[in-house]
Amino acid sequence: MNLTHLDENDRPKMVDVGAKEPTKRIAVASGMIKMSKEAYDAVVHNTAKKGPVLQTAVVAAIMGTKKTPELIPMCHPLLLTGIDCDVEELSDLPGFKLTVTAKLSGKTGVEMEALTGVGIGLLTIYDMVKAIDKGMEIINIRLESKEGGKSGSYQRHG
């Protein structure tokens, strides 16, 4: 399989999607942040000094999803039709799982947008509680599923 972001002289390029037909595309990505019990409790009980951590992380995830082409050089600017975020409390970790779903009808996929949204959302959680726990770990950022486009559907197993 050839890398599509390199031209015939191995120079970087942005793929031309002009001839492709628009299709409905959806990508779901997730990731987790692991932290101390003290940091987890501060987030859950809304006692972090920087304000409402999870609400701010969701807004950051949405912003990160929208700004992906400004951050990842070969990503196309996209007209996203929807971004959904879900935060799950993981008391046994302790920490949180953030899931981002990006949607559009277009000529290229939204996997990078969903993944970037997850990363930015989790980094926001880190930023807002780092005064309590600098040893937090952001882990398992991954694509869960995608629909649409030439390559079809993908569903993570396991």
Side-chain angles (χ1 to χ4, degrees), residues 20-81:
K20 293 172 82 175
E21 288 298 317
T23 62
K24 181 179 178 186
R25 297 163 184 263
I26 300 171
V28 180
S30 70
M32 294 183 279
I33 186 164
K34 183 178 177 181
M35 61 187 60
S36 68
K37 179 81 168 107
E38 181 185 7
Y40 176 81
D41 288 342
V43 174
V44 170
H45 300 299
N46 250 345
T47 59
K49 291 182 180 179
K50 289 190 176 183
V53 175
L54 298 180
Q55 295 89 329
T56 305
V58 166
V59 171
I62 292 168
M63 289 176 66
T65 302
K66 290 168 39 175
K67 295 211 172 260
T68 298
E70 295 174 35
L71 301 168
I72 310 291
M74 302 304 173
C75 286
H76 293 80
L78 302 176
L79 185 57
L80 298 168
T81 58

Side-chain angles (χ1 to χ4, degrees), residues 1-2 4 15 17 20-25 106-109 111 146-154:
M1 178 178 222
N2 291 332
T4 58
V15 175
V17 297
K20 293 172 82 175
E21 288 298 317
T23 62
K24 181 179 178 186
R25 297 163 184 263
K107 298 181 177 194
T108 188
E111 298 92 348
K146 69 153 297 269
E147 295 175 30
K150 184 175 151 185
S151 66
S153 297
Y154 166 82

Side-chain angles (χ1 to χ4, degrees), residues 54-138:
L54 298 180
Q55 295 89 329
T56 305
V58 166
V59 171
I62 292 168
M63 289 176 66
T65 302
K66 290 168 39 175
K67 295 211 172 260
T68 298
E70 295 174 35
L71 301 168
I72 310 291
M74 302 304 173
C75 286
H76 293 80
L78 302 176
L79 185 57
L80 298 168
T81 58
I83 303 168
D84 297 313
C85 301
D86 181 61
V87 180
E88 183 181 346
E89 296 176 7
L90 304 173
S91 59
D92 291 343
L93 194 57
F96 302 89
K97 179 178 182 180
L98 174 63
T99 303
V100 174
T101 303
K103 303 173 188 176
L104 65 68
S105 178
K107 298 181 177 194
T108 188
V110 289
E111 298 92 348
M112 292 307 301
E113 286 70 15
L115 287 161
T116 301
V118 168
I120 297 299
L122 293 173
L123 285 167
T124 298
I125 294 171
Y126 184 98
D127 177 53
M128 294 186 74
V129 293
K130 67 183 181 284
I132 300 169
D133 180 10
K134 289 181 181 30
M136 289 177 281
E137 293 180 65
I138 294 173

